[in-house]
Amino acid sequence: MKDVARIAGVAIVTVSRVLNEPDKVAPATREAVLDAMRQVGYLPNLVAGSLASNKSGMVAVVVPTITNSIFADTVQGAADLLEAEGISILLGQTGYDDERERSLIATMLGRRAEGIVVIGCTQAPPARALLAAAHVPVVQTWDLVDDPVDLIVGFSNFGAGRAVAAHLVDRGYRRLAFLGGGDPRSYARGEGFRAALHDRGMAAALEVDLASPAAIEAGRDGLARLRGVAPRIEAAFFSTDVFAAGALLGCVQAGIAVPADLAIAGFGDLELAAQMNLTTVRIRGYDIGRGAATMILARLAGTPLDRRTVDLGFELVVRGTT
Amino acid sequence: MKDVARIAGVAIVTVSRVLNEPDKVAPATREAVLDAMRQVGYLPNLVAGSLASNKSGMVAVVVPTITNSIFADTVQGAADLLEAEGISILLGQTGYDDERERSLIATMLGRRAEGIVVIGCTQAPPARALLAAAHVPVVQTWDLVDDPVDLIVGFSNFGAGRAVAAHLVDRGYRRLAFLGGGDPRSYARGEGFRAALHDRGMAAALEVDLASPAAIEAGRDGLARLRGVAPRIEAAFFSTDVFAAGALLGCVQAGIAVPADLAIAGFGDLELAAQMNLTTVRIRGYDIGRGAATMILARLAGTPLDRRTVDLGFELVVRGTT
DNA sequence: CTGTTAGCGCGTTCAC
DNA sequence: GTGAACGCGCTAACAG
């Protein structure tokens, strides 16, 4: 920058102005400065700018894993809006590990991210404490709770589980099972499923723990295990479409008719769900990301938010497997 | 930091040392400093540290879109290694747009990313010029070329296309088609496909342009279009499994027997390929990311690299659709 | 092992 | 419209 100023024959501050408030500089000098920049191949040091202005121009997005296409949608949604504003994305992957999540959050806060988006509302206490003490907007996503750290964009996992249960019961299925686990949101869907049966005075659902990260194989294995202990089960709700797809595949190979012998429902409405004609719950991952970005941008712009929690809802998509 | 130093009764620089080289500080003073940090709830300002040390602690990863699971793997591979070293990921999505790619690269270089990973080897001239002038390691991925900007981790898309053609010809198929397009790598696979037929003195393949981003629907439509103009086609190679999956689905619905009436091959070996018993080409997206990260880390550590180009290869996976 | 002195490259006051 | 001075929060040399 010093070089640019010297070549253009102006003061350093003028160069800075050409970059940040071009209008306040005479067209002639502006051109001279721009010329000098091209000559030197000048790339503004945004780090120095961040320090001086106390604005990093970065927003952090922390997800369990980007490989899960459902979270990728959220990242994309947030990035599309943020990048358009010249804000860069700091991406963090927790791998479903609490300590890694805490350390990632600490690092990103240290890098002075101007906002932070996290998946889920149930961060472990140390991570939550960091978020609560952060002086930037914090958006929790993918679920709803009564005591958010700051902002929320999500839907009710509990409600989704309940809706699936209601649908299965309406269809006449009685001996039900829930297969899932791993993360808190999957657990919440199981809770809702359970609660719906309890409300109806029905027998509790059988439960099978399936480990994250979601893999097709795990779904198939889970189904096999389930049928080992409860061969007469009538309908199974899997915490993600990936598991359900595996189970469906297992059924085909084992000659189990779906839904006649066994009904199957998933969650997420991934592309493969439509493809396999799978009943599932649609949630709008991309819009969650957009919503989170919108709230952060509003906060940064000083616009007051009309509400701190946005419920994007979910939609039961009934197809051929139930 | 000033406060921490005052409370702990030491100089500012000692606080800095507790953070960066704890061993060089007496255990007693170290504890005093750490105590003071906890009291104040101190979060080191990494931006200031970056400016002073001229090391940002960030690496940029620029992909067309993170929603494509195949790129997500590469991001994850790079992130897993980098985050373990305390390096943060700056994520950029070009949306297959040259100007957006250029501007993203400029921004990330301005943020003083210590390394940059991009997808593909054929960046538009302005973007390439930026990369070439960057004073940090640059890794191009997902293809191979003779004139890399700096480092390469990839495989031969051309070779992959040729291998698929060879396989189809060996199987006895003669009237072939290639369906794909959009990005340069897909195009390179088509080139290889074409070249293989030409080398054998066979008739040129029919070609159908399919738009990115890859969607299941597009594959189905492409197949319909193809059969409209060339009903007697015997085998079709799609530039990605997503297209191929859509086509396969279309065949099922249209009562076209695969591979008897029409053979289908895809690319990528996504989970759904195995699921649908689709012949495809397996590439190792995760390892590409790991490889890129490894090279960058080596450069940063000053370790000389034995080679600047790493060919991870590909593997033809023959399944039931050919 | 600890402290002192200088910046890092910019933005932000003020003057002119 | 332009410039000089100062400081952002921290690290890199040195010196003791």
Side-chain angles (χ1 to χ4, degrees), chain B residues 1 3-7 34-43:
Chain B
M1 186 154 175
D3 295 344
V4 174
R6 188 165 33 72
I7 295 179
L34 289 173
D35 263 350
M37 284 183 179
R38 276 186 285 266
Q39 261 183 61
V40 190
Y42 172 68
L43 252 184

Side-chain angles (χ1 to χ4, degrees), chain B residues 114-193:
Chain B
E114 296 187 56
I116 179 161
V117 180
V118 296
I119 303 291
C121 301
T122 56
Q123 282 69 32
R128 189 182 167 103
L130 276 175
L131 291 176
H135 294 165
V136 297
V138 173
V139 189
Q140 294 170 299
T141 61
W142 275 84
D143 207 353
L144 299 175
V145 289
D146 293 330
D147 59 337
V149 169
D150 183 9
L151 275 12
I152 289 197
V153 182
F155 60 89
S156 170
N157 284 281
F158 183 90
R162 203 162 44 185
V164 171
H167 162 69
L168 293 176
V169 172
D170 285 353
R171 277 281 206 262
Y173 304 109
R174 285 297 172 271
R175 310 171 72 87
L176 309 183
F178 171 75
L179 299 91
D183 66 292
R185 292 161 298 289
S186 163
Y187 185 77
R189 300 196 277 276
E191 279 287 305
F193 193 77

Side-chain angles (χ1 to χ4, degrees), chain A residues 35 38 112-113 126 146 168 227 232 248 252 264 293 300 309:
Chain A
D35 263 350
R38 277 185 284 267
R112 294 301 183 261
D146 294 329
L168 293 176
R227 309 227 346 147
R232 298 180 49 211
L248 212 46
V252 171
I264 291 182
L300 294 184
T309 292

Side-chain angles (χ1 to χ4, degrees), chain A residues 8-29:
Chain A
V10 297
I12 292 182
V13 65
T14 304
V15 180
S16 170
R17 275 199 268 264
V18 170
L19 255 25
N20 301 315
E21 19 186 28
D23 302 335
K24 299 199 167 181
V25 108
T29 34

Side-chain angles (χ1 to χ4, degrees), chain B residues 14-31:
Chain B
T14 304
V15 179
S16 170
R17 274 201 267 265
V18 170
L19 256 23
N20 301 314
E21 19 187 27
D23 302 337
K24 299 197 168 185
V25 139
T29 34
R30 191 194 313 154
E31 284 311 318

Side-chain angles (χ1 to χ4, degrees), chain A residues 106-193:
Chain A
T107 303
M108 309 214 147
L109 256 21
R111 294 200 188 286
R112 294 301 183 261
E114 296 187 55
I116 179 161
V117 180
V118 297
I119 303 290
C121 301
T122 55
Q123 281 69 30
R128 190 184 167 102
L130 276 175
L131 292 176
H135 294 164
V136 296
V138 173
V139 189
Q140 294 171 297
T141 62
W142 276 84
D143 207 354
L144 299 175
V145 289
D146 294 329
D147 59 336
V149 168
D150 183 9
L151 274 13
I152 288 197
V153 181
F155 59 89
S156 169
N157 285 281
F158 184 90
R162 205 162 44 185
V164 172
H167 162 70
L168 293 176
V169 172
D170 286 353
R171 277 282 205 261
Y173 303 110
R174 286 297 174 271
R175 310 173 71 88
L176 310 183
F178 171 75
L179 300 89
D183 66 293
R185 292 162 298 289
S186 163
Y187 185 78
R189 301 197 274 277
E191 280 286 306
F193 193 78

Side-chain angles (χ1 to χ4, degrees), chain B residues 51-69:
Chain B
L51 180 59
S53 67
N54 200 24
K55 287 190 294 188
S56 68
M58 305 189 296
V59 162
V61 181
V62 177
V63 300
T65 156
I66 193 73
T67 300
N68 192 326
S69 66

